[in-house]
């Protein structure tokens, strides 16, 4: 498995993702009951999303703090973020949920943030490849 030395931009994109995912996961898991009322989202959806985000955040934080990481792990994180953002948009347009205006905003903003992390991580990965090629 090919390993890379993350550039600063890649490291920051990974660690930002870890912090945001951890905070959102904790909020969604611990506050699912209150959030469900405010956002018009199903309590189980919020709890399971939060439960999924907590180990994800720990994994991304671990990857973001390593001196060398498997490039495949970073690619998986980028792909996972892109899929999460797409799934969030599809959830809103599916008709399966009836979120409040605040709920639509919450899902839209988190989808945009996740997509931004994916773009930042992909850019950081490309920059890392350029730096390695010139070394």
């Amino acid at each position: 498995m090919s390993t890379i030395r993350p550039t600063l931009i890649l490291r920051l994109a990974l660690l930002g993702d870890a912090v945001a995912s951890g905070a959102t996961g904790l909020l969604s898991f611990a506050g699912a009951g209150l959030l469900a009322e405010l956002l018009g989202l199903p309590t189980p959806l919020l709890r399971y999303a939060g439960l999924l985000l907590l180990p994800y955040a720990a994994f991304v934080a671990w990857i973001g703090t390593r001196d060398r990481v498997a490039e495949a792990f970073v690619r998986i994180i980028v792909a996972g973020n892109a899929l999460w953002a797409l799934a969030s948009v599809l959830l809103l347009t599916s008709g399966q949920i009836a979120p409040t205006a605040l709920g639509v905003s919450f899902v839209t903003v988190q989808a945009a943030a996740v997509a931004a992390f994916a773009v930042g991580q992909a850019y950081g990965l490309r920059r890392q490849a350029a730096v390695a090629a010139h070394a």
Side-chain angles (χ1 to χ4, degrees):
M1 186 177 295
S2 170
T3 63
I4 59 172
R5 216 177 266 284
T7 58
L8 180 60
I9 193 160
L10 178 56
R11 189 174 306 283
L12 291 175
L14 289 166
L15 294 175
D17 185 6
V19 169
S21 295
T24 303
L26 189 59
L27 178 66
S28 295
F29 182 73
L34 176 61
L35 287 175
E37 287 183 40
L38 291 172
L39 303 178
L41 298 173
T43 302
L45 173 66
L46 290 165
R47 279 213 177 98
Y48 290 128
L51 195 58
L52 180 67
L53 285 172
L54 294 173
Y56 169 79
F59 174 70
V60 175
W62 183 77
I63 292 293
T65 58
R66 302 298 97 191
D67 186 45
R68 296 194 68 79
V69 300
E71 183 178 349
F73 287 160
V74 177
R75 291 188 183 284
I76 289 167
I77 291 167
V78 171
N81 278 335
L83 289 173
W84 183 282
L86 177 62
S88 297
V89 172
L90 292 175
L91 177 66
L92 286 178
T93 60
S94 70
Q96 298 295 313
I97 60 170
T100 63
L102 185 59
V104 171
S105 296
F106 175 81
V107 174
T108 302
V109 168
Q110 69 81 33
V114 170
F117 283 124
V119 168
Q121 292 157 351
Y123 176 76
L125 198 55
R126 272 188 255 115
R127 288 289 304 143
Q128 183 282 328
V131 168
H134 289 89

